[in-house]
Amino acid sequence: MTSPIVFCDFDGTITLADVTDEILNRLSRPAWQEIEQLWMGGEIGSRQCLERQLALVETSASELNTLIDSIPLDPDFLQFVQFVHHSAIPFLVISDGLDLVIRRVLARAGLHRWGRNGIHFYSSAARLVKGRLAISFPHAAKDCVHGCATCKPALIRRLKGEHWPVIYVGDGLSDRYGVREADFVYARRPLLDFCREHDIPSRPFTTFADVERALAKWQGGEAAAEMAEATRSRVTPALAEHSL
Ligand SMILES: [Mg+2]
Ligand SMILES: [Zn+2]
């Protein structure tokens, strides 16, 4: 009998576009792209990256809300949330993104009461003050060595409890530290390529319906052989790191 727990990225995973990137694309001065390059190259962490980028944004509440409301959602996400709820599978969203964005997107999906920052989702926090985004990082970890805005590996270690397997769903570079704490990853590109390069057990997914089908198999006790094998035989690189 297994008792899975699911950790899930937000931008580009639950939404089909990265909302922070869209905010920067449409509402920021172009210098944000130079800062993005530093982050992609690993020269700065996501916390410093977000702080510096969001300082370039000037907007109004109505402009920001219109943008957020234009972002498409994974078509099967709502059904997936109902599935994990009925199956009593813990499902936690961990995101470098902004709580005001996540709240609004979830509310639009009909999940008004489902989460707030620190309950069901863990993210950076932002308020719009006189046209500027005031940002803070309630889930940056003290012992984080990556400079994370939201330290995904620290949250997974803190929240996973006795659950097995630890499933991770994500799409991108912001998941590169989090996936090392997972037993199995459902990934869109470019995260899928990262997992394959680093021998992290993973499968591609197109929509949340694919993840739901796989979890239903776990629940039914007939985990796909390749997954069971992959998670059992794996020496977690992250564990090796932490034992130093
Ligand atoms: Mg993402
Ligand atoms: Zn970190």
Side-chain angles (χ1 to χ4, degrees):
M1 183 63 191
T2 64
S3 170
I5 184 168
V6 182
F7 291 93
C8 184
D9 173 52
F10 185 78
D11 286 281
T13 300
I14 291 172
T15 57
L16 296 179
D18 189 306
V19 187
T20 305
D21 284 356
E22 290 302 311
I23 289 172
L24 293 168
N25 256 324
R26 296 196 232 166
L27 308 176
S28 151
R29 282 175 274 140
W32 74 270
Q33 284 165 334
E34 293 157 32
I35 304 166
E36 189 82 357
Q37 291 305 318
L38 295 176
W39 174 65
M40 290 179 78
E43 290 169 61
I44 59 172
S46 61
R47 176 174 178 162
Q48 197 188 132
C49 180
L50 265 179
E51 254 168 355
R52 288 170 61 179
Q53 287 180 324
L54 291 175
L56 302 169
V57 172
E58 258 193 277
T59 187
S60 65
S62 67
E63 189 176 46
L64 184 61
N65 288 340
T66 302
L67 184 155
I68 297 168
D69 292 346
S70 74
I71 304 288
L73 233 69
D74 181 294
D76 297 314
F77 178 67
L78 195 57
Q79 162 68 34
F80 180 80
V81 172
Q82 285 159 2
F83 164 78
V84 288
H85 178 72
H86 290 303
S87 311
I89 297 173
F91 175 66
L92 304 172
V93 176
I94 50 181
S95 167
D96 278 337
L98 308 178
D99 60 349
L100 64 80
V101 170
I102 295 173
R103 261 199 312 275
R104 189 169 177 92
V105 168
L106 293 178
R108 198 180 81 217
L111 295 167
H112 300 74
R113 300 206 184 131
W114 183 66
R116 64 187 162 83
N117 206 344
I119 298 175
H120 294 302
F121 75 82
Y122 299 78
S123 74
S124 303
R127 284 179 306 131
L128 192 63
V129 183
K130 294 184 181 155
R132 311 302 288 255
L133 283 167
I135 184 163
S136 60
F137 303 97
H139 303 294
K142 273 197 205 77
D143 59 348
C144 164
V145 293
H146 330 101
C148 298
T150 294
C151 190
K152 298 185 179 194
L155 281 167
I156 294 172
R157 288 196 295 271
R158 177 156 72 83
L159 299 168
K160 69 179 177 180
E162 297 300 310
H163 290 280
W164 184 90
V166 174
I167 307 274
Y168 194 99
V169 189
D171 77 304
L173 202 53
S174 81
D175 304 305
R176 63 185 149 177
Y177 305 120
V179 291
R180 293 185 182 281
E181 297 294 328
D183 297 307
F184 203 86
V185 180
Y186 292 94
R188 293 196 179 112
R189 294 213 143 76
L191 182 64
L192 184 65
D193 301 320
F194 178 89
C195 289
R196 287 174 173 170
E197 273 165 39
H198 293 83
D199 275 336
I200 296 166
S202 59
R203 295 266 292 184
F205 78 99
T206 305
T207 77
F208 272 87
D210 301 321
V211 185
E212 180 176 332
R213 267 191 295 277
L215 280 176
K217 282 190 184 171
W218 280 112
Q219 285 296 88
E222 45 156 327
E226 83 184 295
M227 279 197 228
E229 191 49 41
T231 56
R232 214 176 288 130
S233 64
R234 182 165 167 237
V235 178
T236 311
L239 288 178
E241 264 168 38
H242 292 299
S243 61
L244 291 177

